[in-house]
Each structure stands twice: as structure tokens, then as C-alpha cells.
Amino acid sequence: MFKRGMTILLGASLLSACGASDREVIQLDYIEDQWNIESYTKEGEIVQIDEKKEVLKACEGDRTTELKGDVTVYQSVFAGRNGVVSSIDPYSMKVVTYLEGDERYVVCREDYTNQLMAETIDAFPDFVDTTEGISVSRFPSLHQTSSSSKDQLMDPDELNIDEVDMMPFRDTLLEIEPALFGELELELGGKTTRHPLTSFEPTGIERPRQQFAIGLDRNTSQPYILFSFFNERFVVQPLQLAELEDPASMEQHAFEGLSVDTIVEPGQLKEGEAVPLYTFHYMRDGERVTETMTVRFVGGTLLKEGEEPESMLEEWMPDQEDGPRVVSHRKPFDGNDLVYPDFIEIPTGESEQVMEVLKEAEPVNRKGEPADYRYLTLTDGWKGQSFEVSVKQRSKKLDIYLTDPLRDQTFKLSSKGAEVFLDIFPEYKES
């Protein structure tokens, strides 16, 4: 009897030890309710994707830096985080594209960047339609445009411009046949423009040719790039050079008396070759100047192991903080964005403090009364975790309980942990 009792106790101890890891408070995973994931048919119809984890974990394996063979692009999937749309969250968007060359590949773009990462895969997910694909050349081509397109350029109603008296140069209008991956760089008089003419990336949607031309602000004599996306109205971008001391400034040198001639020979561009595109004739310091604008195709490079993508909007967006995020909110993530004051978001430093406090919480078999801000959501990269928060007021302190609904397990913060938590989230003192 004694031996049997010892055996039972030993077995119970072993089971307890084996289950200890299951009681770790923080267990981040892909939380499907946090994400809206959709794709588009070739006709532009939206299709919801149910295999969310499959999309979110794409490109987390060993990276490849080369897409070999003639590539066929099958499908792109867009993942966006529901709930709080944060200006400091670098993991709010992910674009995943499935394509095939000599091998099967998945290519990913995170956040607002033109830097991609890729992974070789054995098979496509079940939702990828391989019955129809899009073959895209590795190199872009330039084409002349029709007279009707040039007439459209000269129509003032086609230029989407505020407070700019724009004069388009009719014969500068050209069309771009897109490439698989890369960008077109411009140089004027040997100086690179601040921004590329356009960028390319693999998509599962047939992309129409894009049109561009040169225009001039009659009031300031500053040149512009006129660009038409998907055959819609033209938009404009100042022709800025990278050598400007303040790249974000709109100040430019005046191009008095500017005229522009188109000199490019239409056809496919070779990678790295500077092709003469236009000649600019204008007055500078009382003398007539002629400068050549060239276009160069720069093939895209895939990020290597350990390299992180950089935002292409860094000039306009605040610096993004890497690290965990913690959000307290009154309503659950249900596909709708949460709006203030229904959520409380804290910066990375305080989020890290909360995460440390949670790690020290102890499992308990009780909980308190539901708090006003009932939910606490953690995110770190593409993964996350949610808790239901409850509180119990004692004579001199407030106990904080957090329940993981997926495990049906409640944890209680230590006294010190509760103090730190309430310093960061004083709103819970008022619950």
C-alpha cells in the first residue's frame, strides 16, 4: 500500500512537472481574430482567406535570395491587423505572394516598404489557385502612347492637382510595361532624383501599363512627374533631386523657359543600363542649358537572413519601435477598429514592463469582477495573445487577475506586479 501510494504521488509530480510549461502566462501565437486576410481575383473581386495562420507564418523559414527560372505569379494575399491601427506598429500589414519558377516560392512584403523577402516552399496552400497564373517579364519596357492618350494628358480635368497651374509636355507621355521586381531610377544632368519613377513587385493581379510624362508649374517654373495609375486621372510629384539639403522640402531650382524633347528609343530596358529618356532645355544664370534625363532599371534584391525591411515612408512617418505592444480595450477584437477612449495603448518601454510583470503571475482557480477595460491584448510581431481582466478590491490594494480564454486559465499578478501594472494603467483603479 505504501509503495502504491508513493507511485501515485510520484506520477502526479511528474504530470505536474510536464504541465508546467503549459502554465506559462505568455504564450504568443497567431490570433486569427486579430487579422483580416483577403485576396483578389483577376477580375478584382475580394475573396476572404480562412487559412490565416498559413499566411501570417509565410517567409519565416530559411530565406532565398533568388527567384530562378521563368516566373509565373499565382496569387497575392493581404493581411491587415484588426482593432487598433497604430502609427507605431510595424506589423500592421503583410502582403504574401505565391509564385513558381524552377521551384515554388512565397514572397512577402511587410509594412510600407519595397524590400521583399522570399522562401522556397514544397507546396502551395490549398487556397492558392494554380489553374491560372500571370507571366511577367523580369525587365520593364517603354512604349509610345497613342494620340488620344496624349490628348487626355492635355485635358486640365485629367490632372489631379491642387493650386498648381500645370503645363504638361504632350510628347513626353510614355507607357511602362511592368517588370516582375525592381524599380526605375531617374537621373537629370547626372543627379539622381529623390524618388524612383516607379517600383514593381510580384502580384497576382494583371497590371495595366502605367503612363508618365513631364509637366511644369507655370507659376514657379518647377518640373513635375505626371503619373497615371491604372489608366485613371494623372497625379503629380515634384521632380526633386537627392542632393537637396532638406529632402522633405518642396523647394527646387527653377527651370526657367523649360522645354523637353523625348529621345528614348522604345523597347525593353536592360538591367543597370542608363537609357537617355528626355533632354531638358532651360535658362540657368542667364545661359541656355541642355541636360539629359536618363532612366535605369534596377532589379530588386531579396532580403538576406538577418536583414530587416526599412520603411519607404520614413520621411513622413515617425520612427517605428520594434518590440512588443500592449493594448487595453473595452470591447473584443471583432473585425472593427477600436476607437479612443475604448482602448489604451502604451509605448514599447511600458509594454515590456507589462510583459515582465505578466511572466511572474501565478496560476489561480479564481477571478475577480470584470474590469471596465475588460481585455488586454499583447502583440509581438505577427503573433499575439489576449486576456480577460478582472479585479478584486481589498482593504488596501487591488488584486489583478488575467484569464486566458483559450486555455481557460486565470493568473494573478503579484502585489509588486499589480503596483507596476496600475502605475501604467491607472484606469483600472477606477474600475
Side-chain angles (χ1 to χ4, degrees):
M1 184 70 177
F2 176 76
K3 289 183 178 179
R4 182 173 179 272
M6 287 297 293
T7 301
I8 293 175
L9 288 172
L10 180 60
S13 298
L14 289 173
L15 286 174
S16 176
C18 292
S21 62
D22 292 336
R23 293 206 167 189
E24 290 180 358
V25 183
I26 298 178
Q27 292 190 355
L28 301 177
D29 199 355
Y30 302 103
I31 306 301
E32 296 188 0
D33 289 345
Q34 290 186 2
W35 294 92
N36 179 56
I37 298 183
E38 58 191 25
S39 183
Y40 294 85
T41 65
K42 293 179 69 174
E43 293 74 28
E45 298 177 351
I46 298 176
V47 178
Q48 296 296 322
I49 303 297
D50 295 328
E51 296 88 339
K52 296 183 179 182
K53 289 187 178 181
E54 192 78 41
V55 175
L56 293 172
K57 69 181 182 181
C59 299
E60 291 193 347
D62 295 334
R63 294 181 185 175
T64 182
T65 57
E66 184 179 4
L67 306 177
K68 300 177 181 179
D70 295 330
V71 173
T72 299
V73 183
Y74 290 119
Q75 190 169 356
S76 286
V77 183
F78 304 85
R81 179 167 264 145
N82 292 327
V84 178
V85 180
S86 170
S87 62
I88 63 172
D89 184 3
Y91 298 96
S92 61
M93 183 184 72
K94 184 172 187 176
V95 182
V96 179
T97 301
Y98 300 91
L99 43 86
E100 187 170 14
D102 290 349
E103 299 180 90
R104 296 182 182 91
Y105 302 101
V106 59
V107 175
C108 303
R109 174 166 63 84
E110 301 177 358
D111 192 31
Y112 300 98
T113 179
N114 54 7
Q115 296 176 301
L116 307 182
M117 60 190 74
E119 178 184 357
T120 302
I121 56 177
D122 294 328
F124 294 124
D126 292 339
F127 62 80
V128 177
D129 182 6
T130 58
T131 60
E132 291 186 78
I134 300 172
S135 297
V136 184
S137 171
R138 289 185 178 271
F139 306 103
S141 297
L142 295 180
H143 301 273
Q144 295 285 2
T145 56
S146 64
S147 294
S148 60
S149 294
K150 293 178 180 179
D151 292 341
Q152 181 180 358
L153 171 68
M154 303 307 291
D155 184 350
D157 293 335
E158 292 297 325
L159 297 177
N160 184 19
I161 304 170
D162 294 326
E163 300 179 359
V164 178
D165 184 9
M166 186 63 65
M167 179 182 71
F169 293 100
R170 184 180 189 276
D171 293 330
T172 62
L173 185 65
L174 296 168
E175 285 185 347
I176 304 170
E177 187 174 338
L180 176 68
F181 181 31
E183 61 185 25
L184 291 180
E185 290 185 347
L186 294 177
E187 286 187 0
L188 178 60
K191 297 179 180 179
T192 305
T193 57
R194 180 65 185 171
H195 304 286
L197 175 63
T198 188
S199 298
F200 312 109
E201 66 176 274
T203 68
I205 303 173
E206 196 77 52
R207 292 174 295 177
R209 295 178 180 180
Q210 302 162 324
Q211 296 182 340
F212 71 97
I214 302 296
L216 185 72
D217 184 340
R218 291 186 176 92
N219 295 325
T220 64
S221 295
Q222 294 178 352
Y224 280 75
I225 296 290
L226 312 181
F227 211 89
S228 175
F229 295 91
F230 309 115
N231 296 324
E232 296 180 351
R233 294 175 64 183
F234 285 87
V235 295
V236 304
Q237 178 175 301
L239 185 62
Q240 294 179 309
L241 303 178
E243 286 77 5
L244 286 174
E245 292 183 4
D246 181 5
S249 171
M250 296 294 287
E251 292 184 28
Q252 301 178 82
H253 298 295
F255 285 62
E256 297 291 345
L258 177 66
S259 64
V260 184
D261 297 324
T262 302
I263 58 176
V264 68
E265 289 292 334
Q268 191 175 77
L269 302 179
K270 298 179 181 179
E271 185 169 359
E273 181 180 336
V275 176
L277 190 61
Y278 305 119
T279 52
F280 281 49
H281 311 280
Y282 63 98
M283 298 298 296
R284 184 170 63 193
D285 299 329
E287 296 183 1
R288 193 70 176 167
V289 174
T290 296
E291 292 182 330
T292 300
M293 172 176 280
T294 61
V295 61
R296 176 188 290 107
F297 173 62
V298 180
T301 58
L302 298 169
L303 294 173
K304 301 175 183 178
E305 293 288 349
E307 293 181 339
E308 295 299 326
E310 297 178 357
S311 175
M312 61 183 177
L313 302 180
E314 58 186 3
E315 295 174 12
W316 301 282
M317 296 181 68
D319 291 338
Q320 295 176 335
E321 299 179 84
D322 292 329
R325 303 289 189 280
V326 176
V327 179
S328 173
H329 45 109
R330 287 186 170 123
K331 302 176 183 178
F333 287 107
D334 57 2
N336 296 316
D337 290 343
L338 302 179
V339 296
Y340 183 81
D342 288 336
F343 73 92
I344 307 165
E345 185 176 28
I346 57 178
T348 299
E350 292 184 343
S351 295
E352 291 173 343
Q353 292 182 53
V354 172
M355 299 279 264
E356 290 301 316
V357 162
L358 295 184
K359 290 178 184 178
E360 302 301 322
E362 294 290 336
V364 294
N365 294 320
R366 61 188 182 280
K367 62 180 70 173
E369 295 297 321
D372 182 18
Y373 288 89
R374 185 172 178 177
Y375 304 95
L376 193 76
T377 295
L378 322 179
T379 63
D380 196 357
W382 306 109
K383 296 182 178 181
Q385 186 176 4
S386 288
F387 295 94
E388 295 177 359
V389 184
S390 58
V391 297
K392 183 176 181 180
Q393 182 67 60
R394 292 205 280 171
S395 58
K396 294 185 178 180
K397 67 175 185 176
L398 189 67
D399 290 337
I400 306 291
Y401 299 90
L402 297 106
T403 301
D404 182 344
L406 296 181
R407 290 181 285 170
D408 193 24
Q409 176 64 61
T410 299
F411 302 89
K412 178 178 178 291
L413 297 186
S414 67
S415 297
K416 182 63 177 176
E419 290 179 12
V420 174
F421 186 88
L422 292 172
D423 284 343
I424 295 174
F425 290 113
E427 290 82 1
Y428 283 96
K429 297 178 183 178
E430 304 168 3
S431 297

